[in-house]
Amino acid sequence: MDVKEQIKILLALQGLDAQIIEHTKQLKALPDQLEEITRDVTQLEEVVNQERSELEQEDKWKREKEEEHEFIETQIGRLRKQMQESTSHRETLALQRQLDSSRKQSGDLEDELLQTMQAVEARRAAIDDHEASLTQLKELLAKEDAEIRKEMKKVQTVLNKVKAKREAGSTGLEPTVKARYDKIASFRHPSVVEAVDGHCTGCNMALLPQLYNTLYYANSMEFCPMCMRMIYLKSAVFGEDEDKTDK
Ligand SMILES: [Zn+2]
């Protein structure tokens, strides 16, 4: 087994896995952007529904008052007629008292009706305003939704391409090495890391000199005893020159 070659393949594979992780994260996070607008739409819909039911109550109340007013006005007409026809002074006085009381009732009702009408008008105006905002918000939501879907489609396309590349990326990898990598990658990313200055760069633990020396030969797959990641020495795998340009 050419360990250097295996590590190179693994690093390329790991690069693809990093992209897969990133794109998957993006794909999951994109719909969250719609959450706030969706919440606003729901809240405003609730407000409008509440206002509509209040308007219905006010309308009902207004109709009842109108009927009551009509009834009293009829009564006033009848009392007037009775008064005109009355020949008894006592009866006239009694009718006059009833008429005064009915007129007062009618006047009070007219005041109440006026107030109710104003309240109904104000309510209607508020509903109109809120419905206009709601329409705007829904348009915005639809627009954002379309944009996010488009973006998601784009990310998904890239993700599919990377995944296809990843499928092909393990060509040349020893099955045992691949199995080991897949196992570590399932819970640690990155799972293949450099050892630098006697330390594992995955968990920062100082490696035993004996293990660190082994890395110089790059003849065997080595693992950090602390975090279990595969470790390698850049200069050993890629050659001294590349290592020096880094320093
Ligand atoms: Zn480690």
Side-chain angles (χ1 to χ4, degrees):
M1 166 163 71
D2 182 347
V3 171
K4 291 176 188 174
E5 198 51 39
Q6 293 291 298
I7 289 174
K8 282 177 189 167
I9 299 173
L10 280 176
L11 287 173
L13 202 62
Q14 177 160 276
L16 293 171
D17 278 345
Q19 287 180 46
I20 290 173
I21 290 170
E22 182 56 30
H23 293 320
T24 306
K25 220 192 285 173
Q26 278 178 357
L27 214 53
K28 239 181 108 190
L30 273 169
D32 291 349
Q33 292 177 21
L34 292 178
E35 225 171 67
E36 202 183 329
I37 312 176
T38 308
R39 205 174 42 234
D40 286 348
V41 166
T42 312
Q43 268 174 6
L44 203 50
E45 267 172 348
E46 275 166 18
V47 167
V48 170
N49 283 341
Q50 178 66 27
E51 283 174 331
R52 280 216 190 96
S53 98
E54 270 160 23
L55 179 65
E56 214 173 282
Q57 279 302 309
E58 284 158 354
D59 258 337
K60 193 174 157 235
W61 199 70
K62 188 178 137 233
R63 280 197 304 276
E64 280 170 9
K65 290 286 159 191
E66 275 166 351
E67 275 170 30
E68 212 179 317
H69 184 251
E70 212 173 299
F71 175 78
I72 287 167
E73 283 301 308
T74 312
Q75 202 178 34
I76 288 171
R78 205 176 57 232
L79 286 169
R80 270 211 195 105
K81 202 162 169 257
Q82 278 177 323
M83 256 177 81
Q84 278 165 6
E85 287 162 1
S86 166
T87 48
S88 143
H89 181 63
R90 265 182 76 169
E91 194 194 20
T92 308
L93 270 181
L95 285 167
Q96 182 64 59
R97 272 199 297 273
Q98 279 182 50
L99 196 59
D100 287 347
S101 152
S102 291
R103 277 196 179 125
K104 165 132 195 354
Q105 236 182 311
S106 176
D108 288 348
L109 273 172
E110 275 162 19
D111 288 346
E112 281 176 36
L113 263 170
L114 190 69
Q115 275 173 16
T116 310
M117 260 145 49
Q118 280 165 349
V120 165
E121 251 170 64
R123 183 78 67 197
R124 285 218 169 95
I127 291 176
D128 284 350
D129 276 355
H130 289 149
E131 275 179 341
S133 306
L134 200 55
T135 307
Q136 254 181 351
L137 266 179
K138 280 180 176 169
E139 276 167 12
L140 182 69
L141 184 62
K143 211 177 113 197
E144 296 268 312
D145 189 71
E147 267 168 31
I148 281 170
R149 272 171 209 279
K150 214 168 102 190
E151 186 62 27
M152 281 173 82
K153 224 172 158 179
K154 243 163 69 184
V155 175
Q156 186 66 59
T157 308
V158 175
L159 184 59
N160 291 345
K161 272 186 196 159
V162 179
K163 277 184 174 170
K165 247 195 211 170
R166 204 253 181 223
E167 287 295 310
S170 45
T171 313
L173 212 52
E174 299 271 339
T176 49
V177 175
K178 185 177 186 301
R180 193 84 192 249
Y181 170 82
D182 283 341
K183 198 177 169 204
I184 307 170
S186 69
F187 61 92
R188 284 216 201 296
H189 190 88
S191 40
V192 185
V193 296
E194 256 188 272
V196 174
D197 296 333
H199 288 75
C200 160
T201 56
C203 67
N204 260 331
M205 197 187 84
L207 302 164
L208 286 173
Q210 197 187 346
L211 173 59
Y212 198 69
N213 285 336
T214 314
L215 295 176
Y216 280 101
Y217 301 102
N219 280 332
S220 53
M221 304 295 305
E222 297 299 338
F223 302 89
C224 168
M226 182 69 166
C227 67
M228 311 307 285
R229 288 177 171 101
M230 290 187 192
I231 44 175
Y232 70 97
L233 216 53
K234 200 171 184 179
S235 60
V237 174
F238 293 97
E240 288 291 345
D241 289 348
E242 201 163 332
D243 194 45
K244 271 173 189 152
T245 52
D246 260 19
K247 278 179 184 168

